[in-house]
Amino acid sequence: MSPQREAFDRAIGRRLWAAPVEGYAGPAAVAGGAVYAGRTDGTVHRVDPRTGRKTAEWKATGNDGKAAGFHLGAAPGGGAVWLADFGANVWRLGAGTGGAAPLGLAWSRTVSEEPFGMNLLTATPVAVGSKA
């Protein structure tokens, strides 16, 4: 049996749904009543937490036109969903975290740029207010 992501009813522990995990990067995040999951191909899926059905998809493309390729899980905070890609870029996905509007890139910064000064991300960004 291949690994799966599963959702359970908190009150009684009944499994609500299951989905394969192939291609997903790290844990999913909950923001605005929806589940967000980054994929290693640079795609972000918004999923209905009650049914497990994908309700939106967004393909992350960097300034160079190449796919982002996420390698760490998503993290919610500050009205956004935060991700990190294979190129050590921090992505803040703003519009769409609470409704039907499509996801859009708010900004992308390479961690080697100031104020970060690093070459590798080893953990999902953590949001505090509107900052990561």
Side-chain angles (χ1 to χ4, degrees):
M1 176 184 269
S2 61
Q4 296 187 16
R5 291 181 187 250
E6 298 178 315
F8 295 88
D9 181 299
R10 277 195 284 195
I12 62 173
R14 180 178 56 93
R15 186 170 84 169
L16 300 172
W17 54 266
V21 297
E22 289 87 18
Y24 284 99
V30 176
V35 176
Y36 292 85
R39 296 180 54 84
T40 56
D41 67 359
T43 304
V44 178
H45 289 170
R46 183 175 65 204
V47 177
D48 183 316
R50 295 173 306 267
T51 65
R53 289 192 186 107
K54 180 174 62 172
T55 60
E57 179 177 296
W58 176 73
K59 184 74 171 178
T61 304
N63 295 334
D64 59 2
K66 296 180 182 176
F70 299 115
H71 71 106
L72 300 168
V81 174
W82 302 82
L83 297 114
D85 69 20
F86 287 117
N89 293 295
V90 175
W91 293 76
R92 181 184 185 273
L93 305 176
T97 58
L103 290 172
L105 175 64
W107 59 266
S108 173
R109 293 285 304 257
T110 305
V111 294
S112 60
E113 295 176 34
E114 290 299 326
F116 304 116
M118 298 180 290
N119 293 320
L120 176 66
L121 287 176
T122 58
T124 301
V126 174
V128 177
S130 63
K131 300 178 170 116

